Amino acid sequence: MRYGRNDDSGVERRRTLLLHSTGGLRRRGGGLYSRGNRRGCRPGRYGGAVAETGGELAARAPEWELCLEELDREELERFGGILDQRPTRLRGRTVGMVLAERLLLVRTREGRPAPLKANAAQRAFERRRGERNIVLKARQMGLTTWAAARFFLKTITQPGTLTLEVAHTREAAEEIFRIVHRFLDWLPEELRDGPLRTSRANVRQIVFPEMDSQYRVVSAGDRNAGRGLTVQNLHCSELARWPGEPAETLAGLRAALAPGAELILESTPDGVGGCFHEEWQKAPETGMARHFFPWWMERRYRAKAVDEASLTEEERELIGRHRLDLEQIGYRRLIRANFRGLARQEYAEDEENCFLASGDSVFELAAIEGRLAETLEPAERRRNGELEVWLPPLNGKNYLVAVDPAGGGSEGDYSAAQVLEMETGLQCAEFAGHVGGLELARLVTALAAEYNDAWLVVERNNHGSGVLAHVETNCGYRRIYRQGGQAGWLTTSVSRPAVLGRLGAGLVEEPERFQSRRLLGECRSFVRLPNGGTGARAGTHDDRVMAMAIGLGARAELLEGRRKS
């Protein structure tokens, strides 16, 4: 894909920047110099900047109008050293905020190029920004664009910088790259042909050889994202909607961060549970700066004013607490009518309820959270962590291995297996991985054999029938659970809610049965869906949940049959 410059705007191609000559602008021998003395640029209209020279603070330094099209590499590097400074005369703005406004262009919702002037949410982010940040926001607040702009400026002003943007889908990655490429395309030609000349500007990668810097945009579905890299700036966009195992992907990306690197995790909420929710919850412990931006911080979110006499008690409370006006209440009514149950998620109003909006949890969240606080690490991990073991088999004990098969591809659902002790229902081991067919059959039969020739319960829906055939014919395993004389467990519209109910009761009444944090995480994001069914919230999995539910259901039937006999 080619990202070309669009010249239909009438935007001036030669731009200037009014900025303090702070500590980044010095003579080679020390002290401040006037750009006007070098290239005919005039002193700026704001006097009295503050500059740091030789470790001392120099007040009332003159301010200069800098001709950006004449900047060379040395001067770009000086800007890179002062991006986060807040000279007094910039009225609380950082040098980077002013540089973004004067140097970078974005395309407005009306399709016109315009300077990137920070909005309310972006200004609030800059005030509280730290080295590591997590951003919870309503939709379309401009934070993705702002993160891209900040990291673009750092990339072009700080040599040796590698910036990595990770989007939740390929389409989103393409859109972010278009934003970044627009920043590049609208730079003055003198910069693009000089210190910011590119050697590559395609395949979602921009390389600046003279600065020894590069900007990359990838999707979270790329398993090799960040591998082998040393990253100075990392922006993870819409983390709540990353596919696969987002926690594992994020851990790999964090391992690529250089010391002192800047990190931004950003997303709209997508229900309780999942990687983003966990990162938000534990941010105070991990030292990440939390940023929450409700929908009313966006000035465009307004509609026809409502009649004050029609205000509900909840609306009056919002007006009093957050100083909303009647046009904002009108917009709130509009989005609630259009989005219904998802309004709290897409247009977040508080940090807690917005996570609950994508569906009500099927299981008792308080019980899950309580058990999560008590779980221990597994005694053993195998197959690169796919198989976790808490309790090894004991002589004289009877066990059950319940299996929820999947197709085995590298994408989509996992095949999952749960090992339960028959008498107590205690979870002993858990497997989840992208395997299927004969490989899965061999894995679960070996696991069942290890646990004293355990009962093997394989769901026979869909892929399960093939797995069962391999278990019986290729693996020769004989202790197979049967229903009505047929091998395997059949999940139906009747049996599914029954076994899920049994799991829910167990979480409340005997939470100590459950050892796996991953299972409990899936329970937390297992919700009632808008279509009336139940299942994993978008972007999460329920394979471990279903394997455990099947195991508990089959255990109950086996125990009942033993009592009758």
Side-chain angles (χ1 to χ4, degrees):
M1 180 177 294
R2 182 176 182 273
Y3 298 86
R5 179 185 178 91
N6 188 335
D7 288 320
D8 62 353
S9 66
V11 177
E12 295 179 0
R13 294 178 60 186
R14 293 176 62 86
R15 282 169 285 189
T16 59
L17 171 65
L18 293 172
L19 190 62
H20 294 274
S21 56
T22 57
L25 300 179
R26 302 189 182 103
R27 291 186 186 278
R28 294 182 185 275
L32 294 166
Y33 69 79
S34 163
R35 291 268 299 155
N37 293 338
R38 294 182 63 192
R39 292 184 181 168
C41 294
R42 302 179 303 280
R45 57 187 175 91
Y46 302 120
V50 177
E52 189 176 355
T53 57
E56 299 178 357
L57 205 62
R60 297 191 176 278
E63 189 180 69
W64 310 102
E65 183 179 76
L66 300 180
C67 301
L68 290 174
E69 61 271 24
E70 297 179 2
L71 290 176
D72 56 22
R73 172 176 171 169
E74 181 181 359
E75 289 153 345
L76 283 172
E77 290 184 36
R78 290 192 178 105
F79 275 116
I82 62 174
L83 285 177
D84 293 334
Q85 292 187 14
R86 297 177 184 271
T88 304
R89 297 290 181 163
L90 291 188
R91 302 174 183 177
R93 294 180 296 171
T94 64
V95 171
M97 292 171 71
V98 177
L99 197 60
E101 182 177 342
R102 302 293 183 175
L103 186 61
L104 304 182
L105 291 180
V106 294
R107 191 168 295 282
T108 67
R109 296 181 186 281
E110 293 74 30
R112 297 190 298 270
L116 177 55
K117 186 173 183 179
N119 63 23
Q122 293 161 349
R123 293 193 301 271
F125 175 76
E126 283 297 309
R127 284 194 295 270
R128 298 191 59 251
R129 172 179 45 77
E131 186 176 283
R132 293 177 297 160
N133 306 271
I134 184 165
V135 179
L136 171 63
K137 62 185 182 63
R139 64 184 305 180
Q140 297 183 352
M141 302 292 287
L143 271 303
T144 299
T145 297
W146 188 256
R150 171 169 172 76
F151 286 168
F152 180 78
L153 290 176
K154 293 181 72 176
T155 304
I156 67 173
T157 61
Q158 298 175 359
T161 294
L162 193 159
T163 291
L164 183 64
E165 295 256 10
V166 186
H168 62 301
T169 64
R170 291 183 180 178
E171 293 77 14
E174 290 285 351
E175 180 56 33
I176 292 174
F177 192 65
R178 277 190 284 270
I179 291 170
V180 175
H181 217 290
R182 191 173 294 120
F183 295 155
L184 173 65
D185 286 344
W186 282 102
L187 290 175
E189 287 184 2
E190 290 80 0
L191 285 176
R192 291 186 291 111
D193 295 338
L196 300 183
R197 177 181 53 84
T198 60
S199 63
R200 180 183 299 172
N202 52 30
V203 294
R204 301 201 297 267
Q205 180 180 7
I206 303 174
V207 177
F208 303 99
E210 187 169 331
M211 300 298 291
D212 190 27
S213 295
Q214 57 179 298
Y215 202 116
R216 295 188 181 188
V217 184
V218 300
S219 73
D222 182 358
R223 290 193 156 189
N224 295 316
R227 184 166 297 176
L229 302 178
T230 301
V231 178
Q232 283 72 38
N233 304 305
L234 174 61
H235 174 208
C236 300
S237 179
E238 289 299 335
L239 177 58
R241 291 164 174 79
W242 280 16
E245 291 287 344
E248 295 179 9
T249 304
L250 181 59
L253 291 167
R254 276 185 163 134
L257 290 175
E262 185 171 338
L263 170 65
I264 301 175
L265 308 181
E266 159 263 310
S267 188
T268 50
D270 194 20
V272 172
C275 179
F276 181 69
H277 180 252
E278 289 187 1
E279 290 288 338
W280 179 263
Q281 292 295 101
K282 68 183 182 182
E285 303 170 18
T286 59
M288 295 193 76
R290 291 207 295 193
H291 308 262
F292 174 63
F293 302 116
W295 63 266
W296 51 74
M297 291 188 72
E298 172 52 57
R299 62 180 179 82
R300 297 177 298 104
Y301 288 162
R302 315 179 78 83
K304 183 179 178 180
V306 302
D307 185 349
E308 186 171 357
S310 70
L311 291 174
T312 66
E313 182 177 346
E314 181 187 29
E315 291 168 343
R316 291 183 186 277
E317 185 179 351
L318 279 173
I319 290 173
R321 185 188 308 161
H322 301 292
R323 299 182 180 179
L324 304 190
D325 58 38
L326 297 180
E327 290 183 351
Q328 289 173 309
I329 296 298
Y331 187 81
R332 183 175 187 265
R333 291 183 182 180
L334 185 65
I335 59 178
R336 294 216 158 190
N338 290 336
F339 286 84
R340 298 188 179 183
L342 291 179
R344 288 185 300 164
Q345 170 184 291
E346 300 298 319
Y347 295 88
E349 295 186 349
D350 68 79
E351 303 175 26
E352 297 298 328
N353 288 330
C354 65
F355 280 110
L356 304 175
S358 65
D360 296 326
S361 178
V362 170
F363 305 118
E364 181 62 46
L365 291 177
I368 295 170
E369 297 295 337
R371 183 57 186 154
L372 277 168
E374 298 173 351
T375 54
L376 301 176
E377 288 294 307
E380 181 184 1
R381 286 190 173 94
R382 307 177 195 169
R383 292 181 58 96
N384 295 320
E386 290 181 335
L387 176 59
E388 296 183 324
V389 178
W390 289 270
L391 300 169
L394 297 176
N395 291 334
K397 292 285 187 179
N398 293 316
Y399 298 92
L400 173 152
V401 177
V403 185
D404 178 27
S410 60
E411 303 294 334
D413 290 339
Y414 292 87
S415 292
Q418 301 286 356
V419 180
L420 306 181
E421 200 269 306
M422 282 292 295
E423 294 300 323
T424 63
L426 194 65
Q427 183 184 26
C428 300
E430 177 182 85
F431 167 80
H434 287 298
V435 297
L438 181 57
E439 183 182 2
L440 177 61
R442 287 172 172 166
L443 189 152
V444 296
T445 52
L447 192 58
E450 178 182 349
Y451 276 83
N452 301 343
D453 291 328
W455 280 106
L456 186 54
V457 184
V458 180
E459 184 187 43
R460 68 173 183 257
N461 305 56
N462 303 318
H463 303 288
S465 57
V467 174
L468 280 165
H470 286 302
V471 166
E472 292 185 291
T473 58
N474 297 94
C475 302
Y477 198 79
R478 294 291 174 258
R479 204 175 186 204
I480 299 172
Y481 172 85
R482 298 176 181 274
Q483 279 182 330
Q486 187 172 355
W489 170 277
L490 182 63
T491 300
T492 67
S493 59
V494 175
S495 65
R496 178 184 168 92
V499 296
L500 289 171
R502 187 178 295 275
L503 172 57
L507 288 166
V508 173
E509 297 168 3
E510 297 179 281
E512 65 278 2
R513 285 184 182 180
F514 307 101
Q515 316 299 323
S516 167
R517 293 187 62 84
R518 293 175 176 176
L519 167 66
L520 293 168
E522 286 191 7
C523 289
R524 191 165 55 180
S525 57
F526 193 84
V527 297
R528 294 183 178 86
L529 302 173
N531 63 7
T534 59
R537 178 176 47 81
T540 64
H541 294 274
D542 61 8
D543 313 289
R544 295 175 176 89
V545 168
M546 291 310 303
M548 177 58 74
I550 290 168
L552 293 175
R555 170 180 171 268
E557 289 191 7
L558 288 169
L559 291 177
E560 179 64 21
R562 189 169 69 183
R563 280 193 291 269
K564 287 181 178 180
S565 64

